[in-house]
Amino acid sequence: MAPDAVALRRPFPVGTRGLVLLGLFGAGVWALCALDLGLGQLVPGSGGLLVAQRFFGRALSPAVDWEGAFVPPGAPAFLVDALEAAWTTIVVAAAAMGLSLVLGLGLGFLASTAWWADEPARGRSGWRGLLRRFVAPALYGAVRILIGCMRSVHELLWAVLFLAAIGFNPLTAVLAIAIPFGGTLAKVFGEMVDEAPRDTARAMRAAGAAPLQVYFFGLVPRALPDMTAYAFYRFECAVRSAAIMGFFGIATLGSRIQQSFLATNYGEVWTYLYLTFLLVAVLDLWSGALRRRVVA
Amino acid sequence: MTTHERLVEDLYRRRPRSRFVRLSAAALVVLAIGAWFVGDFPVADLLSNASGEHLSDFAERVVPQPVRGRAFDGGVVLAWAGDLMRTKGWTAAGRTFAISLAAILLAALAGLVLCLPAARTFATPEPFLPGASAPGRLTRLAWTVVRVGVRTFLVFLRSIPEDVWAFLLFGILGANAWPAVLALALHNAGILGKLGAEVVENLPPAPLRALRGLGARRTQVAAAGVFPAALPRFLLYFFYRWETCVREATVLGMLGILSLGTWITDARHRLHYDELVFWILVGAAIVLVGDLLSTILRGAVRRAS
């Protein structure tokens, strides 16, 4: 064998990336088998086909007026009603955002390490040292677990829980969204502050600032633009979740989509879908512009 | 003014700030507080007697059925939970994972295709080598239309929540797993397509420009330059979205597609709140396992690249 051939010999033909890709392929095959997914099922039955035709046929001609034969007397014009549903969606999302921002900022502080972990060795005695060495880490661990629990239960499952425990109304919808969102915000906010540039913090500490002063005036302001951009992204998600909560009966876009689809008023469904799209698209553009501003 | 003070003054003037960011933050705060005054939220009802009664009723039913009304026995509760898992739980958990996997793989395939025409560097008359030729105004316009069209389509896909897609598709495709899989796939294709387009736009340009300069066609640059270079980031986003898919898959069963959500709805309708809470905890466990797996795999991908 020529020496060149040895030099050119490749390592094992598949690297880590290749293994991951192969694994994904295998997982996909397993999933298709586990779910008995056949391509045949993708072709709707005759009833489904009719629904599909009539539904997608209205994609480009959304309704501008009530479509049902019966319109309850005193009902507002269709578009006014649709805008009302959109407004309710925004209000529920914003209220949930308010609550989860409070939760996120409060728990986010406890879920960050910057205000106790990288303090220098000075002041290791007395109650401050005790606080820093034992109380703060314990609190950090406990809050991390709490955040994990809040986040890992889906907002719709929180909604089901509230529905069972105290009944469902706009307020419980807000709580159902705010709990998992608060957990997510806390996790991300805490990590953003921990990853903020430390130059200011170091300078302040050298000048004799107390740990909390360093945290709130040296670290949080550095992370604030990032946090704003992320909060906007979560607001976008909150709007989607608020729309979904309509499936449980509050007057957001989800309830209208459900009612109109079941009543086979497909044009109305498309109007609601496009309204959801508009709401989300505006927030998406806004948060995109924010992120560009932050990066620049 | 001493030099010192002037320096501080200078630093203060050059502090990073943006009116847009500050106005946006203010708008968010105003909205978040204002909503509580505008909206009709029955805060008083929450603390009323009726909801207290409701709650105590719930608290009674939430105690696992075999130990309700008698002394708590850990062994009995464990046997009860084990039985639930054997009869329903493991299958439902497996199907939940399967739904999330099938959906995210479909979404990734769609995202791979859609990210190219949505990327500013690719959807131009001269991909990766601007200024190589002087394209006509019409060609430029055509590419802009394609790019804006694909981007709008992606926003539309992701702006409609998964559950709405699932509800609509359920009405069309009937009771099998496809509505859940397709719903998750549609929503996530919108997200992965957008994130993918950003990855493509931020790739180091030199290798792509070189390929193009050597005469590679658009598709050849994509196959030989874009995809290999973008794969690690694609995989990171893929796993990050998979976590969300697992979360969503636990609830999509509520529509009647057999997964964890089915048993949650079932327990709610039978007022078996002990089972309801048990299934919700199983759902949380599934999500945590998914997060853990995804974190491990993302770490592996990051180390390999």
Side-chain angles (χ1 to χ4, degrees):
Chain A
M1 207 196 275
D4 291 59
V6 179
L8 281 175
R9 200 180 60 197
R10 290 174 157 223
F12 187 64
V14 207
T16 311
R17 263 190 237 167
L19 279 180
V20 169
L21 286 183
L22 275 179
L24 286 179
F25 182 75
V29 172
W30 169 75
L32 289 183
C33 295
L35 296 170
D36 308 317
L37 283 180
L39 287 178
Q41 289 160 303
L42 266 182
V43 183
S46 57
L49 202 61
L50 193 67
V51 174
Q53 271 171 0
R54 289 178 48 207
F55 176 67
F56 288 108
R58 294 302 302 270
L60 296 177
S61 55
V64 287
D65 203 352
W66 295 107
E67 286 190 323
F70 172 75
V71 177
F78 171 69
L79 286 181
V80 174
D81 185 70
L83 285 177
E84 246 169 54
W87 175 242
T88 313
T89 310
I90 296 176
V91 169
V92 168
M97 231 17 235
L99 201 56
S100 53
L101 275 176
V102 173
L103 282 173
L105 290 172
L107 293 175
F109 170 70
L110 295 175
S112 73
T113 55
W115 58 279
W116 51 272
D118 45 63
E119 279 300 311
R122 80 184 153 83
R124 276 262 160 139
S125 56
W127 66 272
R128 278 168 195 280
L130 210 67
L131 183 77
R132 206 169 298 144
R133 262 186 302 170
F134 300 108
V135 180
L139 209 58
Y140 168 79
V143 167
R144 277 274 157 166
I145 292 172
L146 174 71
I147 289 175
C149 295
M150 288 161 73
R151 265 162 24 92
S152 54
V153 175
H154 192 277
E155 54 263 27
L156 279 183
L157 297 186
W158 281 115
V160 168
L161 262 184
F162 279 120
L163 184 67
I166 46 179
F168 201 66
N169 56 44
L171 181 64
T172 36
V174 166
L175 291 178
I177 300 175
I179 292 173
F181 277 52
T184 310
L185 284 181
K187 174 176 182 270
V188 173
F189 282 177
E191 283 167 6
M192 278 177 173
V193 173
D194 280 350
E195 282 162 19
R198 294 294 171 92
D199 44 3
T200 326
R202 252 180 249 129
M204 285 178 72
R205 205 170 289 136
L212 288 187
Q213 287 174 328
V214 172
Y215 187 86
F216 284 108
F217 298 101
L219 287 171
V220 171
R222 299 300 293 264
L224 214 50
D226 269 328
M227 285 158 72
T228 310
Y230 187 74
F232 260 85
Y233 165 68
R234 287 317 291 189
F235 188 38
E236 185 194 317
C237 300
V239 167
R240 274 197 294 262
S241 294
I244 290 295
M245 289 295 164
F247 283 176
F248 286 106
I250 64 168
T252 58
L253 282 162
S255 66
R256 310 296 162 96
I257 290 177
Q258 193 179 29
Q259 285 158 14
S260 293
F261 189 79
L262 291 178
T264 69
N265 298 332
Y266 299 125
E268 292 177 15
V269 176
W270 281 102
T271 311
Y272 298 133
L273 289 181
Y274 285 133
L275 263 176
T276 317
F277 164 65
L278 267 183
L279 287 185
V280 173
V282 167
L283 285 171
D284 184 70
L285 286 177
W286 198 339
S287 68
L290 267 175
R291 235 169 300 132
R292 271 194 300 282
R293 228 38 80 91
V294 172
V295 171
Chain B
M1 205 189 262
T2 62
T3 352
H4 226 90
E5 279 169 349
R6 221 171 312 123
L7 269 176
V8 170
E9 187 73 14
D10 190 43
L11 267 179
Y12 180 74
R13 242 181 290 115
R14 283 193 296 144
R15 72 192 186 279
R17 58 180 169 171
S18 152
R19 185 170 295 166
F20 181 63
V21 172
R22 276 193 286 170
L23 277 180
S24 301
L28 191 64
V29 170
V30 168
L31 252 175
I33 297 173
W36 285 95
F37 293 96
V38 176
D40 191 15
F41 298 117
V43 180
D45 284 9
L46 194 65
L47 310 169
S48 71
N49 271 337
S51 86
E53 269 166 38
H54 210 129
L55 194 62
S56 63
D57 184 49
F58 175 76
E60 242 166 64
R61 286 168 184 272
V62 116
V63 180
Q65 202 259 326
V67 292
R68 203 175 292 163
R70 49 189 108 139
F72 186 83
D73 182 345
V76 174
V77 173
L78 272 184
W80 168 80
D83 199 43
L84 279 179
M85 283 309 280
R86 249 194 317 283
T87 50
K88 303 165 177 172
W90 292 115
T91 327
R95 290 181 64 98
T96 304
F97 267 114
I99 287 175
S100 73
L101 266 171
I104 195 64
L105 285 168
L106 276 182
L109 289 181
L112 275 183
V113 175
L114 288 171
C115 75
L116 287 176
R120 227 163 264 136
T121 47
F122 185 87
T124 69
E126 260 310 325
F128 308 114
L129 202 59
S133 63
R137 187 177 295 172
L138 212 64
T139 343
R140 256 203 310 251
L141 185 74
W143 276 110
T144 311
V145 168
V146 167
R147 195 180 65 229
V148 173
V150 171
R151 288 207 159 216
T152 315
F153 179 60
L154 288 175
V155 180
F156 181 71
L157 283 183
R158 71 171 183 276
S159 66
I160 307 302
E162 300 90 334
D163 308 72
V164 170
W165 282 126
F167 170 73
L168 299 176
L169 289 167
F170 192 66
I172 293 170
L173 293 173
N176 56 60
W178 274 116
V181 170
L182 284 181
L184 278 176
L186 282 175
H187 181 78
N188 283 290
I191 294 174
L192 286 177
K194 181 212 178 188
L195 292 174
E198 277 170 15
V199 172
V200 172
E201 283 173 5
N202 294 332
L203 283 179
L208 307 173
R209 215 179 289 157
L211 271 177
R212 184 71 185 154
L214 285 169
R217 274 180 285 120
R218 195 183 293 272
T219 42
Q220 288 173 325
V221 180
V226 174
F227 285 139
L231 186 63
R233 297 241 79 186
F234 278 172
L235 280 176
L236 290 183
Y237 284 135
F238 173 86
F239 286 119
Y240 149 70
R241 283 316 296 180
W242 180 56
E243 283 173 31
T244 335
C245 272
V246 174
R247 227 172 89 81
E248 296 291 334
T250 57
V251 297
L252 279 180
M254 292 209 236
L255 291 160
I257 305 140
L258 185 64
S259 83
L260 197 68
T262 321
W263 300 123
I264 292 173
T265 325
D266 175 64
R268 179 162 76 86
H269 287 320
R270 291 186 294 128
L271 302 185
H272 285 192
Y273 292 150
D274 48 348
E275 282 182 33
L276 176 77
V277 171
F278 177 73
W279 293 131
I280 287 178
L281 290 178
V282 171
I286 291 177
V287 172
L288 287 178
V289 169
D291 277 8
L292 195 69
L293 271 177
S294 151
T295 311
I296 293 171
L297 287 168
R298 271 187 293 158
V301 170
R302 209 173 285 138
R303 271 194 304 282
S305 57

